[in-house]
């Protein structure tokens, strides 16, 4: 992709923001080198890794530790490998001091051939950071980030270097005493000398009574030797060697004669310490060289992880997400926002960028400063970010085609040096890339052809769009040309859109309304920016004389579009709210259902346990189970639904139609009991007394017939089979035949309980039904219904 395209879309600014999210210099450098890919496989891999990283961070809150840059260390180590003679200190073959081929290394030569302590400390910090990130990937259960875990597993860990640096180099950047027995012994002697000198000086000051001559407490160090800080006036009071004066000249640093021998011993130990440290540095450097093939890939992996986690942090800052990219994908970016506006702290108005089916060209019209150019830049920049493996600020489910080239023609491209006007610069750039435009190209044209005669410029713009369609290319075009606006409404493969303005204030809304065109709003913009009214009035006169004023029509279309967009936004918000409420109610229902089933199971188990232990009779067990069922029915009766307040007692009259929510049925009031405030209601052939507060007036549109009984339907059948069978008025043989078919179908559909209405009458039909149920193989139990559900006029049978 051309660097000119990336500059015009301001992609380097995105990379700067990404680099600022990195925790290392190497990561920041890598961020600035990111470029969009033209490979479907590479883009998919980048987006997949980003999705996995987002899931990893969301679940573990991981962050990359800060680690130093080692680019100079690698250069130094690799150059030393080639420059070192064979058998340098620390390699497997020891250096022979007597050999004339290889000079014996002195302690003064070692520093030039070894990594210094700062470099080794940096190496240790890098390994610590790599260990933290690697262990985080390997120890966590990683079903959602398999590729990241696989990368960590494939790394070869430099065990010897990591262990040696951890043992030898402290967090303060100094070599630890335990780095070697020799260093431990030397530093122990140095500490003993310090303690000895401290005691000697303290005793000397007290014995000689010179405490008031000292500028500071007792002893200090100057020129790497222990000295006394005397006030310059009293330097003759102590016999010794003057090493230095303070900057003000008020303090004289004197080494007493009794410390000379001790300081000489200290200097010898300091020299031994440096030589021991140099030997340790040489050994550590040798380990680094031996495991260089493991250290360098590990550093590259950690840099990439830093960059990947920085991409996650940038996505969080932008509230962005990955999008699906496919060669045959559609342009569908909902709620797209320009990322640079978000990074600058501005409120970016989201807009939808959509081309459907065989549409390839989007032509945007409308007033100046309405957001046409921003829409074009947003489309191009989001595509470049997606192809670079970055998240983009759009709604969930966004898709993009894979554009291998993006060509941008935007802004004033005139060049005095190149003797190019605005128009000629546009034409020359289009001509330069025209042969490379194909089905995998996106072309962004911002007011193409505007720098010449309007009619000829419009004709050229329309011809360019025709050429793009013929090549199957994708394009987004911003224009003010009326002919191109009309073209966008009639040409197949082209979709029109307009930027909207507030009808009352004429302020831009920065929203796209599709399948319509917009007015250029030149007069309003000129007025907004302070052009004198006399000029505006004259311009309006010329416009009326020209006969081309369609402003009122376009303004009406704009107002209708604004109203439509508001309604769509309200509907979308309402739909989202309903989804949230539905999910909440579903969760509450499932929770209450689980608790209720658990309670029923517990009570039933208690009853059965008592029955097994013969603490209660079978009749009592059935009675207890019936009580449990009755309690369940009472608890599960819904309260009066919202919007249906309880009806007053006086409002109920015999013959009124009512609705009983507990059974989801409508019925008729037969009697009223003033004392109990209860109603005798007929529901589907069953009469029962109900508290008047548990019923409500039936909806006017309901038919007088009873509400349908509960049903269970197979997915492959359109006619449901009722869970309730009404046998009233039928002969015994006819009723039993229907009952047999009913039970078979109920069993096939998974029913566990059925209601059989046979009526009271003489009881003959009830006895026939019960006799039939006793011998039926699918019936586990049956009993007459509770009195409030029909009593002995209905039988409830349980199926297995």
């Amino acid at each position: 992709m051309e660097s000119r395209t990336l500059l015009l879309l301001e992609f380097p600014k995105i990379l700067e923001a990404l680099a600022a999210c990195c925790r290392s210099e190497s990561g920041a450098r890598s961020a600035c080198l990111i470029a969009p890919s033209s490979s479907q496989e590479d883009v998919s891999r980048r987006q997949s890794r980003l999705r996995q990283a987002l899931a990893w961070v969301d679940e573990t809150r991981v962050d990359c530790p800060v680690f130093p840059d080692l680019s100079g260390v690698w250069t130094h180590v690799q150059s030393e490998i080639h420059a070192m003679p064979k058998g340098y200190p620390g390699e497997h073959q020891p250096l022979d001091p007597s050999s004339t081929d290889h000079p014996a290394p002195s302690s003064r030569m070692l520093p030039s051939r070894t990594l210094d302590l700062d470099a080794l400390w940096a190496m240790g910090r890098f390994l610590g950071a790599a260990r933290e990130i690697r262990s985080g990937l390997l120890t966590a259960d990683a079903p959602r980030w398999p590729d990241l875990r696989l990368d960590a597993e494939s790394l070869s860990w430099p065990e010897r270097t990591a262990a040696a640096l951890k043992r030898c180099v402290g967090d303060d950047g100094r070599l630890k005493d335990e780095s070697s027995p020799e260093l431990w012994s030397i530093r122990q002697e140095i500490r003993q000398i310090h303690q000895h000198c401290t005691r000697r000086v303290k005793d000397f000051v007290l014995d000689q009574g010179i405490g008031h001559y000292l500028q500071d407490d007792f002893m200090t160090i100057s020129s790497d030797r222990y000295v006394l800080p005397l006030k310059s006036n009293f330097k003759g009071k102590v016999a010794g060697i003057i090493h230095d004066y303070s900057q003000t000249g008020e303090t004289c640093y004197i080494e007493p004669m009794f410390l000379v021998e001790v300081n000489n011993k200290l200097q010898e130990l300091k020299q031994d310490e440096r030589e021991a440290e140099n030997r340790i540095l040489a050994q550590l450097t040798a380990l680094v060289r031996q495991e260089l093939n493991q250290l360098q890939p590990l550093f590259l992996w950690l840099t990439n992880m830093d960059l990947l986690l920085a991409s996650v942090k940038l996505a969080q800052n932008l509230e962005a997400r990955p999008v699906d990219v496919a060669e045959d994908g559609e342009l569908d970016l909902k709620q797209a926002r320009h990322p640079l506006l978000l990074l600058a702290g501005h409120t970016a108005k989201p807009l939808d960028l959509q081309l459907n089916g065989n549409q390839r060209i989007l032509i945007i019209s409308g007033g100046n400063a309405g957001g046409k150019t921003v829409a074009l830049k947003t489309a191009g920049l989001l595509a470049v970010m997606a192809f670079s493996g970055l998240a983009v600020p759009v709604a969930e489910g966004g898709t993009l085609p894979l554009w291998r080239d993006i060509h941008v023609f935007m802004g004033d491209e005139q060049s005095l040096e190149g003797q190019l006007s605005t128009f000629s610069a546009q034409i020359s750039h289009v001509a330069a890339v025209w042969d490379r435009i194909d089905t995998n190209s996106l072309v962004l044209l911002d007011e193409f052809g505007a720098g010449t005669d309007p009619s000829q410029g419009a004709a050229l713009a329309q011809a360019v769009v025709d050429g793009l369609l013929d090549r199957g290319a994708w394009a987004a075009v911003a224009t003010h040309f009326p002919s191109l606006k009309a073209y966008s409404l009639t040409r197949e493969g082209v979709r029109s859109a307009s930027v909207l303005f507030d009808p009352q204030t004429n302020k831009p809304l920065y929203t796209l309304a599709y399948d319509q065109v917009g007015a250029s709003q030149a007069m309003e913009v000129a007025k907004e920016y302070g052009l004198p009214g006399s000029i505006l009035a004259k311009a309006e006169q010329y416009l009326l004389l020209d006969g081309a004023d369609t402003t009122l029509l376009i303004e009406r279309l704009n107002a209708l579009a604004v109203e439509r967009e508001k309604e769509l936004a309200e509907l979308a918000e309402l739909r989202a709210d309903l989804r949230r409420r539905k999910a909440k109610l579903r969760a509450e229902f499932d929770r209450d259902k689980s608790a209720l089933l658990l309670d029923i199971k517990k009570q039933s188990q208690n009853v059965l346990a008592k029955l097994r232990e013969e603490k209660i009779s079978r009749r009592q067990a059935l009675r207890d189970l019936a009580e449990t069922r009755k309690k369940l029915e009472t608890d599960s009766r819904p309260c009066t639904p919202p919007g249906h307040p309880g009806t007053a007692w006086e409002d109920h009259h015999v013959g009124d139609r009512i609705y009983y929510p507990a059974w989801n049925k409508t019925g008729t009031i037969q009697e009223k009991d003033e004392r109990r405030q209860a109603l005798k209601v007929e529901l589907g052939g069953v009469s029962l007394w109900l508290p008047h507060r548990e019923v409500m007036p039936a909806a006017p549109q309901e038919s007088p017939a009873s509400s349908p009984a509960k049903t269970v339907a197979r997915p492959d059948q359109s006619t449901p089979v009722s869970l309730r069978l009404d046998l009233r008025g039928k002969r015994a043989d006819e009723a039993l035949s229907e009952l047999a078919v009913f039970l078979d179908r109920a069993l096939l559909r998974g029913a566990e309980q059925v209601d059989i209405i046979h009526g009271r009458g003489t009881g003959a039909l009830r006895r026939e039904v019960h006799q039939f149920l006793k011998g039926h193989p699918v019936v586990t139990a049956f009993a007459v219904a509770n009195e409030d559900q029909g009593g002995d006029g209905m039988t409830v049978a349980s199926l297995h």
Side-chain angles (χ1 to χ4, degrees):
M1 196 169 293
E2 294 178 329
S3 59
R4 173 179 174 275
T5 294
L6 302 181
L7 288 173
L8 287 173
L9 294 176
E10 300 180 277
F11 183 59
K13 293 183 179 179
I14 298 294
L15 298 185
E16 290 175 7
L18 177 63
C21 295
C22 292
R23 304 300 301 277
S24 66
E25 292 183 20
S26 57
R29 280 200 307 273
S30 298
C32 294
L33 298 176
I34 287 180
S37 174
S38 59
S39 164
Q40 175 67 65
E41 181 181 359
D42 190 32
V43 172
S44 298
R45 182 185 61 83
R46 293 184 184 188
Q47 292 290 330
S48 174
R49 287 174 60 84
L50 178 59
R51 284 188 173 92
Q52 294 180 36
L54 285 165
W56 183 35
V57 172
D58 180 62
E59 188 166 319
T60 64
R61 297 293 185 267
V62 67
D63 194 11
C64 184
V66 177
F67 62 95
D69 184 24
L70 297 182
S71 55
V73 175
W74 306 131
T75 304
H76 177 77
V77 172
Q78 289 174 324
S79 63
E80 288 295 337
I81 289 177
H82 300 293
M84 276 270 183
K86 185 178 181 181
Y88 60 84
E91 284 284 48
H92 297 299
Q93 297 181 2
L95 188 65
D96 183 3
S98 63
S99 172
T100 57
D101 297 331
H102 309 299
S106 66
S107 61
R108 291 185 297 276
M109 294 173 60
L110 282 173
S112 64
R113 297 184 175 181
T114 59
L115 294 174
D116 60 21
L117 195 52
D118 289 341
L120 291 171
W121 174 84
M123 185 74 69
R125 290 291 300 273
F126 141 64
L127 288 172
R131 183 186 297 108
E132 180 178 338
I133 294 295
R134 185 170 180 262
S135 62
L137 282 169
L138 296 181
T139 56
D141 186 18
R144 298 171 63 192
W145 48 89
D147 295 340
L148 303 185
R149 184 185 179 106
L150 184 62
D151 289 346
E153 289 175 343
S154 64
L155 291 169
S156 178
W157 185 256
E159 298 285 355
R160 297 175 63 196
T161 302
L165 290 174
K166 186 176 180 180
R167 184 185 71 252
C168 298
V169 182
D171 293 336
D172 58 356
R174 299 180 68 248
L175 286 177
K176 298 179 181 178
D177 293 353
E178 55 268 24
S179 298
S180 72
E182 180 186 16
L183 185 61
W184 174 276
S185 176
I186 293 171
R187 288 184 175 176
Q188 192 68 16
E189 284 193 66
I190 292 175
R191 282 190 287 269
Q192 291 173 357
I193 287 178
H194 177 75
Q195 294 171 0
H196 174 69
C197 289
T198 301
R199 287 195 301 270
R200 289 285 304 273
V201 168
K202 186 175 181 180
D203 293 342
F204 176 77
V205 170
L206 293 176
D207 292 343
Q208 300 296 321
I210 61 173
H212 58 284
Y213 300 152
L214 297 177
Q215 194 72 286
D216 298 311
D217 290 341
F218 300 113
M219 186 174 64
T220 187
I221 293 178
S222 179
S223 302
D224 213 17
R225 299 176 74 90
Y226 291 118
V227 295
L228 295 179
L230 264 68
K231 296 176 182 177
S232 297
N233 305 5
F234 305 103
K235 60 185 178 182
K237 299 292 183 179
V238 178
I241 303 169
I242 297 176
H243 281 277
D244 201 0
Y245 286 90
S246 65
Q247 290 184 351
T248 61
E250 295 181 359
T251 304
C252 175
Y253 299 103
I254 296 179
E255 180 182 3
M257 298 306 297
F258 68 87
L259 287 182
V260 172
E261 183 177 350
V262 178
N263 275 327
N264 290 340
K265 176 63 175 175
L266 178 64
Q267 293 306 308
E268 293 176 2
L269 290 173
K270 288 286 187 181
Q271 180 62 22
D272 293 342
E273 181 186 29
R274 283 189 288 271
E275 292 178 354
E277 289 177 345
N278 285 335
R279 283 189 284 273
I280 294 169
L281 294 179
Q283 292 170 2
L284 293 175
T285 303
L287 287 176
V288 171
R289 291 191 180 105
Q290 291 168 19
E291 296 187 323
L292 191 62
N293 290 335
Q294 296 166 284
L295 289 166
Q296 285 184 312
L298 183 63
F299 183 78
L300 179 60
W301 170 81
L302 183 60
T303 299
N304 289 335
M305 290 305 299
D306 182 24
L307 183 56
L308 186 60
L309 292 175
S311 301
V312 171
K313 191 174 297 183
L314 181 64
Q316 293 172 339
N317 294 340
L318 295 174
E319 297 182 5
R321 52 188 49 83
V323 296
D324 294 327
V325 178
E327 292 184 353
D328 57 349
E330 290 187 350
L331 172 58
D332 185 11
L333 299 178
K334 296 184 179 68
Q335 301 294 299
R337 294 164 295 159
H338 197 289
L340 292 180
L341 294 177
L342 297 174
L343 291 173
H346 300 301
T347 301
K349 185 76 172 180
L351 51 87
D352 296 342
L353 298 169
Q354 294 175 298
L355 288 174
N356 307 319
N358 64 346
Q359 295 174 343
R360 288 294 180 271
I361 310 292
L362 175 63
I363 296 181
I364 305 174
S365 58
N368 297 90
K372 298 189 299 297
T373 302
V374 172
L376 266 58
K377 282 191 171 183
T378 301
L381 183 55
L382 295 189
V384 170
M385 291 175 65
F387 303 158
S388 302
L390 301 177
V392 296
V394 298
E396 195 72 44
T399 61
L400 276 172
L402 178 60
W403 295 313
R404 292 184 170 84
D405 284 308
I406 298 179
H407 304 288
V408 182
F409 307 96
M410 191 172 292
D412 188 357
E413 302 185 65
Q414 66 177 315
S415 171
L416 296 178
E417 295 83 357
Q419 297 182 348
L420 294 174
S421 65
T422 300
F423 176 72
S424 58
Q426 287 181 340
I427 297 300
S428 64
H429 288 146
V430 170
V433 301
W434 187 255
D435 291 338
R436 302 203 302 269
I437 295 176
D438 56 20
T439 57
N440 296 315
S441 300
L442 171 66
V443 180
L444 302 178
L445 296 170
D446 186 21
E447 300 187 25
F448 181 79
T452 186
D453 177 83
S455 59
Q456 296 184 30
L460 279 172
Q462 191 167 324
V464 167
V465 173
D466 278 337
L468 294 175
L469 280 173
D470 293 340
R471 291 170 177 258
W474 299 72
V477 182
T479 187
H480 289 287
F481 292 138
S483 59
L484 202 54
K485 295 177 187 179
Y487 172 88
S488 68
L489 293 171
T490 58
R491 183 70 156 88
E492 185 178 357
V494 179
R495 190 176 191 186
S496 64
S498 168
V499 291
L500 297 180
F501 284 74
D502 189 300
Q504 280 74 40
T505 64
N506 280 324
K507 297 288 185 181
L509 298 176
Y510 304 109
T511 301
L512 286 182
Y514 279 90
D515 305 317
Q516 72 169 54
V517 296
S520 293
Q521 303 277 353
M523 297 298 183
E524 289 78 5
V525 173
K527 181 179 180 181
E528 178 72 21
Y529 283 86
L531 196 66
S534 58
I535 297 178
L536 293 173
K538 182 64 70 175
E540 289 175 353
Q541 292 177 12
Y542 284 130
L543 189 61
L544 291 173
L545 289 174
D546 187 53
D549 187 10
T550 60
T551 304
L552 294 178
L553 174 62
I554 299 296
E555 285 181 354
R556 177 57 180 161
L557 291 174
N558 177 81
L560 292 174
V562 170
E563 184 177 348
R564 173 177 172 271
E565 292 296 321
K566 287 182 179 178
E567 291 176 353
L568 290 175
E570 290 173 358
L571 287 174
E573 185 177 352
L574 178 60
R575 188 181 298 113
D577 182 59
L578 289 175
R579 287 198 190 100
R580 288 192 296 267
R581 293 173 60 186
K582 181 180 178 181
K584 182 180 179 181
L585 290 174
R586 171 59 64 181
E588 292 176 353
F589 172 77
D590 291 341
R591 183 174 61 250
D592 294 343
K593 176 183 175 183
S594 299
L596 183 60
L597 291 176
L598 186 63
D599 184 46
I600 294 171
K601 183 178 180 181
K602 184 177 179 180
Q603 293 185 39
S604 301
Q605 288 174 345
N606 290 338
V607 173
L608 293 176
K610 290 178 181 179
L611 179 63
R612 292 191 193 99
E613 296 171 3
E614 298 184 353
K615 292 182 179 180
I616 59 175
S617 64
R618 183 173 182 274
R619 184 184 297 274
Q620 182 62 39
L622 291 175
R623 188 178 297 114
D624 291 346
L625 290 175
E627 287 296 326
T628 301
R629 176 183 173 186
K630 185 175 181 181
K631 181 177 181 299
L632 170 63
E633 291 172 348
T634 303
D635 292 343
S636 62
R637 287 176 183 172
C639 300
T640 302
H644 295 280
T647 309
W649 170 252
E650 294 78 11
D651 295 335
H652 291 296
H653 304 283
V654 174
D656 287 353
R657 298 288 297 170
I658 55 89
Y659 171 67
Y660 184 35
W663 286 17
N664 190 26
K665 279 188 168 296
T666 57
T668 306
I669 299 176
Q670 295 179 327
E671 296 181 32
K672 294 179 64 175
D673 188 329
E674 295 287 347
R675 185 177 60 83
R676 292 192 300 157
Q677 299 277 290
L679 303 172
K680 187 177 182 181
V681 179
E682 190 273 331
L683 297 170
V686 177
S687 297
L688 67 160
W689 287 94
L690 297 173
H692 80 279
R693 296 187 181 278
E694 293 186 7
V695 300
M696 61 186 66
Q701 64 269 25
E702 295 219 7
S703 65
S706 301
S707 299
K710 297 178 290 182
T711 61
V712 175
R714 287 178 57 178
D716 57 345
Q717 290 188 353
S718 59
T719 304
V721 175
S722 174
L723 286 175
R724 175 171 293 173
L725 178 64
D726 192 346
L727 300 177
R728 289 176 297 179
K730 292 181 172 58
R731 298 191 307 273
D733 55 346
E734 181 184 0
L736 295 181
S737 176
E738 287 189 19
L739 179 58
V741 174
F742 168 73
L743 292 176
D744 290 342
R745 292 185 177 179
L747 182 65
L748 288 174
R749 285 153 179 80
E752 297 179 355
Q753 180 177 295
V754 295
D755 299 336
I756 306 167
I757 302 174
H758 39 65
R760 287 188 172 90
T762 62
L765 184 57
R766 181 181 71 247
R767 289 191 294 272
E768 291 290 341
V769 168
H770 285 187
Q771 188 64 31
F772 179 84
L773 294 177
K774 284 181 182 178
H776 200 284
V778 304
V779 178
T780 59
F782 64 89
V784 295
N786 295 331
E787 187 61 35
D788 59 351
Q789 293 180 328
D792 55 5
M794 183 173 73
T795 296
V796 179
S798 300
L799 312 181
H800 64 72

